[in-house]
Amino acid sequence: PIFLQQAGYSSTVNIGVVGAPGAGASSLVNALLRRSRSPGLPADTAGGGGAVADGAPKAQVGCTSTTRRPSAFPLLLPSRGSASASGAPAQGGESRQTPGAPAPPASALRLWDLPGVSPDAGRSVETACADMGLRYFDALLVVCSRRVTAADQRLFSQLEFWRVPYFIVRTKVDIDIASERRDHGRSAEEALRGLREHAARQGAGSAFLVSVRRPGGVELPVVRFAMLAAAKVRRSLRCSGAT
């Protein structure tokens, strides 16, 4: 797709964040960007939408679908020995890439906030995958909320057909934890165990459980670690000429 070509696709590692409209993909992007910020930079402001505290761009969020076109948020992959114990890059400084701008160094990682994929949007999942060029991404975070839908399953099948590495991220688990506590008196640990069992029954047993509003994000640090690990593998393959 043209947006990947304009963003210096050949010299970067590109990880897309995609899901059904309203699943929380943009909020996940912002949460991952916050955790990739350099230690000396201020934290993100509370709430959704607008600029972060230090003026860096962020993905637009809202109660309805807000992502109309692919948006890239570049990060710098940690060099060998420069990552902290949590896996955070030693230096960050994300900024939106503008078309026609010089390509960043080969160590750059681009986190893409992609439009929602849903048959209700007037196009099939397969068409949406082709239009966004998902087969050309180095890896994808597929975002699901509350349940794995038939459209999600078709998206998984498309990515497996094209052999694109992907991670399933189950968002908004804070809502489920609160509901389980209120309705059934269950603890957070019991609620999370039930969510994992439910995800496994839907064929998504490897899903990461995430809340962008709960302290620690539940498994958000694990998602970030998996994302960086996949990016470093792809970078190594490109440096060796294997891709």
Side-chain angles (χ1 to χ4, degrees), residues 148-166:
V148 176
T149 66
D152 293 327
Q153 295 285 4
R154 288 164 62 188
L155 177 55
F156 302 158
S157 297
Q158 284 289 297
L159 299 180
E160 289 165 6
F161 177 80
W162 293 114
R163 298 182 179 179
V164 179
Y166 68 93

Side-chain angles (χ1 to χ4, degrees), residues 35-37 78 82-91 224 228:
R35 289 180 172 271
S36 298
R37 195 175 307 283
S82 67
S84 67
S86 64
Q91 52 183 327
R224 186 174 171 279
L228 291 176

Side-chain angles (χ1 to χ4, degrees), residues 13 19 24 26 29 31 52 64 69 92 100 109 134 164 168 173 185 199 202 206 211 214-215 220-221 224 237 239 242:
V13 176
S26 297
V29 167
V52 294
T64 59
R69 64 187 64 182
L109 160 65
L134 296 189
V164 179
I168 304 172
V173 300
Q202 293 186 308
S206 60
S211 167
R214 190 176 178 86
L220 182 62
R224 186 174 171 279
L237 290 173
C239 290

Side-chain angles (χ1 to χ4, degrees), residues 136-199:
Y136 298 105
F137 281 83
D138 295 292
L140 286 159
L141 303 180
V142 181
V143 182
C144 307
S145 66
R146 311 310 297 270
R147 65 187 182 89
V148 176
T149 66
D152 293 327
Q153 295 285 4
R154 288 164 62 188
L155 177 55
F156 302 158
S157 297
Q158 284 289 297
L159 299 180
E160 289 165 6
F161 177 80
W162 293 114
R163 298 182 179 179
V164 179
Y166 68 93
F167 305 97
I168 304 172
V169 182
R170 168 68 157 76
T171 57
K172 304 182 182 181
V173 300
D174 54 299
I175 298 175
D176 298 287
I177 291 173
S179 297
E180 289 295 301
R181 180 184 297 113
R182 181 184 63 249
D183 298 338
H184 306 290
R186 293 172 182 159
S187 66
E189 291 74 17
E190 291 173 324
L192 291 173
R193 185 165 56 249
L195 290 175
R196 290 190 180 93
E197 293 172 353
H198 183 256

